[in-house]
Amino acid sequence: MASRKEGPGAAGGGFGAAKGKGKAAAAGDSAVKQVQIDGGVVLKIIKHYQEEGQGNEVVQGVLLGLVVDDRLEITNCFPFPQHTEDDADFDEVQYQMEMMRSLRHVNIDHLHVGWYQSTYYGSFVTRALLDSQFSYQHAIEESVVLIYDPIKTAQGSLSLKAYRLTPKLMEVCKEKDFSPEALKKANIAYENMFEEVPIVIKNSYLINVMLWELEKKSAVADRHELLSLASSNHLGKSLQLLMDRVDEMSQDIVKYNTYLRNVSKQQQQKHQYQQRRQQENIQRQSRGEPPLPEEDINKLFKPPQPPPRMESLLIAGQINTYCQNIKEFNAQNLGKLFMAQALQDYNN
C-alpha cells in the first residue's frame, strides 16, 4: 500500500488488500473510462488536508468502492494516520486491514479501488507516485490515484484529478528495465506515461437541495470575492519550482551526454585493439607462428552502464505540469479581470 512519507509527492510501494482483486475485477473487466465519486468522499479528502496538511506536507489515504462496467465508483475513503519515525511499532498494512474489516461489519463498501494524495503546487509526478500506483494497478487493474490540489482549490475551483498508468508504462514497470533502449523500444514519453480519467461527482437528492438552499442564502459580496485576483506568490512559486526542475533536467542531460561520449571512446578503443591484434597475427603468420587465441572483447572492454531514463521522463512530465499550472493561472486571472470589468460597467 502507499505509505506516508515526508516531502512533496511521496508515496510508498506495497499493497496489502490483494483479496479485493477478484471481487473488484469480477464487476467489470473492461478498462476504467470514468470515475464517479460521492460528494462525501471529496469532503473527507479536503478535511484530511485541512487538519493534517501544512505547507508542503503531503496527506494520503485509501479509496474504497466498487467497479460497475467501465465506471469506477468511489463511495468511501479513510486517511493514513499521522505518525513519525519514532512510531516503529506501527503497522500500516495491519491498520488498513482493520479499517476495512470494521467497515465491512457496518455494511460499508470496503474493497480497495485506489488511493489519494494531496500535492504541493502540482509536484506529484514523482518516482514514488509511479511505484505506488504500479503496485495498486498491478494488484487491482482498475485502481486510480486521486490528486487533490489544495492551492488551486483555495482559488475558487475544486482541483481533483484521477490518474492511471498507461498499459505501455505498466509493461515497462513489470520488466523493471528503464534503460534508454527499453524506453525507446516501448515508445514511452512523458506524454503517454499517465492517463487522466474523467471524474463525475455524485450527490444525493437531499444534498443537491441543500446546496441550492445555501446558494440562495449566500450574500452577493461573498460571490464577488471569487473575482479577486490570485496572489503573485502562486505564480512566483510555480516559476521557482519550474526552474528547479529545468536544472535537474539539465543535469540529467549532462549525465547522458557523458555516457554517450564514454561509449564512443570505448568503441574507438575496441577498434584500435582489434587492429593491433590483426597486425600482430599477420606478423605471427609470416614467422610461421600460430595466431593469438580468440578473446571475448566484451570482457576486456566492459560497456558503460547507461543512466536510467525514467527519472528524466518524470522530470519532463513535472515540467509540463508546472507549465500547465502557469498557463491556467494566467488564464484564470485574465478571465477574472474581464468579469470584474464587466461587473463594474454593469453597476455604473
Side-chain angles (χ1 to χ4, degrees):
M1 294 182 183
S3 61
R4 291 181 53 82
K5 288 187 180 180
E6 299 297 330
F15 190 83
K19 65 177 183 179
K21 177 181 178 181
K23 296 181 181 179
D29 296 330
S30 59
V32 174
K33 297 181 180 179
Q34 185 184 76
V35 175
Q36 177 179 296
I37 311 175
D38 284 3
V41 175
V42 178
L43 293 179
K44 286 182 179 180
I45 295 175
I46 296 175
K47 182 181 179 182
H48 184 197
Y49 177 81
Q50 290 178 344
E51 292 179 347
E52 297 188 9
Q54 297 179 358
N56 61 351
E57 177 73 15
V58 170
V59 299
Q60 300 172 343
V62 176
L63 299 175
L64 306 173
L66 66 158
V67 181
V68 180
D69 297 329
D70 59 354
R71 183 177 70 253
L72 180 66
E73 297 185 2
I74 301 175
T75 58
N76 203 355
C77 69
F78 62 86
F80 291 139
Q82 189 96 8
H83 64 276
T84 62
E85 296 179 356
D86 297 333
D87 303 328
D89 297 334
F90 182 79
D91 189 343
E92 292 185 347
V93 174
Q94 182 65 27
Y95 165 78
Q96 296 181 49
M97 297 301 293
E98 290 293 337
M99 284 291 299
M100 290 185 293
R101 189 177 297 111
S102 300
L103 292 172
R104 183 172 67 249
H105 288 164
V106 294
N107 199 25
I108 296 178
D109 291 333
H110 60 278
L111 296 182
H112 261 99
V113 293
W115 60 294
Y116 71 85
Q117 84 163 40
S118 63
T119 182
Y120 179 69
Y121 285 95
S123 304
F124 65 91
V125 185
T126 63
R127 181 61 180 273
L129 181 135
L130 186 148
D131 292 339
S132 290
Q133 181 56 24
F134 171 74
S135 298
Y136 271 93
Q137 209 165 317
H138 181 67
I140 298 179
E141 185 180 357
E142 297 85 1
S143 298
V144 300
V145 54
L146 289 183
I147 301 297
Y148 169 63
D149 193 331
I151 297 177
K152 283 187 177 181
T153 301
Q155 295 175 3
S157 60
L158 175 65
S159 178
L160 192 66
K161 296 183 178 181
Y163 292 98
R164 287 169 47 81
L165 302 185
T166 60
K168 288 183 178 181
L169 187 57
M170 285 294 295
E171 292 297 326
V172 172
C173 291
K174 288 179 183 178
E175 298 295 333
K176 297 182 180 180
D177 184 4
F178 304 118
S179 63
E181 293 77 12
L183 295 177
K184 183 178 180 180
K185 181 179 179 181
N187 195 23
I188 295 291
Y190 73 87
E191 298 95 338
N192 56 8
M193 295 178 64
F194 297 90
E195 57 182 1
E196 184 177 353
V197 186
I199 290 179
V200 174
I201 298 178
K202 181 182 179 181
N203 293 317
S204 66
Y205 294 113
L206 291 177
I207 293 179
N208 288 330
V209 171
M210 183 187 70
L211 292 175
W212 279 106
E213 290 295 328
L214 291 176
E215 184 176 0
K216 291 179 181 179
K217 294 179 181 179
S218 63
V220 176
D222 294 336
R223 299 178 185 179
H224 289 174
E225 290 180 359
L226 297 176
L227 298 179
S228 62
L229 298 180
S231 172
S232 60
N233 292 336
H234 177 76
L235 179 60
K237 186 63 178 178
S238 297
L239 289 172
Q240 181 62 49
L241 292 171
L242 175 60
M243 290 188 292
D244 292 342
R245 286 295 185 175
V246 170
D247 290 340
E248 293 178 9
M249 176 63 75
S250 299
Q251 294 174 6
D252 276 4
I253 292 175
V254 170
K255 293 179 182 178
Y256 189 68
N257 288 335
T258 302
Y259 161 74
L260 293 179
R261 286 196 298 269
N262 291 337
V263 170
S264 177
K265 182 179 179 180
Q266 190 180 74
Q267 291 295 333
Q268 293 179 358
Q269 292 175 348
K270 283 183 179 180
H271 182 67
Q272 293 174 358
Y273 177 78
Q274 289 174 339
Q275 284 185 332
R276 288 197 301 269
R277 283 182 60 89
Q278 185 178 6
Q279 293 175 359
E280 187 172 353
N281 282 333
I282 293 176
Q283 294 175 359
R284 291 174 67 90
Q285 185 179 6
S286 63
R287 294 194 299 266
E289 299 176 357
L292 295 173
E294 294 292 335
E295 294 181 346
D296 189 355
I297 194 170
N298 291 324
K299 292 183 178 180
L300 296 175
F301 297 92
K302 188 175 181 180
Q305 290 295 326
R309 301 296 291 168
M310 181 57 68
E311 293 297 333
S312 299
L313 292 180
L314 291 171
I315 292 174
Q318 190 61 66
I319 289 175
N320 181 66
T321 301
Y322 287 143
C323 291
Q324 292 294 331
N325 289 345
I326 295 173
K327 181 179 178 181
E328 292 174 4
F329 174 86
N330 293 331
Q332 186 181 36
N333 275 353
L334 185 60
K336 287 181 178 180
L337 283 174
F338 283 130
M339 292 177 64
Q341 184 63 43
L343 184 60
Q344 183 179 2
D345 295 342
Y346 175 79
N347 293 331
N348 294 335

